[in-house]
Amino acid sequence: ELKVEQNPLFLSMQEGKNYTIYCNYSTTSDRLYWYRQDPGKSLESLFVLLSNGAVKQEGRLMASLDTKARLSTLHITAAVHDLSATYFCAVDMYSGGGADGLTFGKGTHLIIQP
Amino acid sequence: DAGITQSPRHKVTETGTPVTLRCHQTENHRYMYWYRQDPGHGLRLIHYSYGVKDTDKGEVSDGYSVSRSKTEDFLLTLESATSSQTSVYFCALGQENYGYTFGSGTRLTVV
């Protein structure tokens, strides 16, 4: 059974600071996704990581994937208040026969204070 | 999100009544999914479909059934709703190598 663990689950930080969210998963997979969710809203896709060593950046967010360590990171640089949200990582249960769905971490609730 | 619509957006129902949630897509995607989201649990897969009349169970399928009679519609049915099924339900479309797109969600309350 695939398990996905995120940490921390809650993070309060100040504007301008840097921080990293970690996502560990239990079985082999080379497909990992990061999503953002604002309160009462749906999930917004941030990054799609499809191979070992993949690194993607968008604005103040950068995501990476190490499939050998079964670890992905979401790094926040010089945080701003607008990045306050809940961030989820999810691993594709792709079996080779099709897209069997995602297993999600429990999410990291991020609050960025002035 | 563009191309995927969930209905209803909100529903309150009584314990023991049947409830059907609808997910409609205009993208012609083969793969469709139903998730539920609960505090402290993230999102958990209920059922998914890989084509018309082809469905399979996910992690938390007990108490739920699905049907997909045409590509664009994926229905989730709670045969006899219970309070433990109070949740936010998300439909998603999957596309290999491009990721998954989520609908706006249905907030279901069972009283």
Side-chain angles (χ1 to χ4, degrees), chain B residues 34 49 53 55 65-70 73-77:
Chain B
W34 278 107
S49 170
K53 294 189 183 344
T55 64
S65 62
V66 290
S67 66
R68 192 164 178 204
S69 59
K70 46 187 178 178
D73 288 326
F74 191 32
L75 304 180
L76 176 71
T77 298

Side-chain angles (χ1 to χ4, degrees), chain A residues 10-19 21 36 60-61 76-87 109-114:
Chain A
F10 181 82
L11 176 59
S12 179
M13 57 190 293
Q14 288 187 316
E15 281 191 326
K17 299 293 187 183
N18 304 332
Y19 210 83
I21 299 170
R36 168 182 173 147
R60 300 175 187 274
L61 301 178
I76 304 159
T77 301
V80 294
H81 178 70
D82 286 351
L83 291 179
S84 297
T86 299
Y87 293 85
H109 184 51
L110 175 62
I111 296 176
I112 299 171
Q113 300 177 352

Side-chain angles (χ1 to χ4, degrees), chain A residues 7-8 11 22 29 35-36 50 57 69 74 78 86 88 90 93 95 98 111:
Chain A
N7 68 83
L11 176 59
Y22 297 88
S29 175
Y35 289 91
R36 168 182 173 147
L50 299 178
Q57 183 163 5
L74 179 66
T86 299
F88 291 95
M93 295 184 278
S95 63
I111 296 176

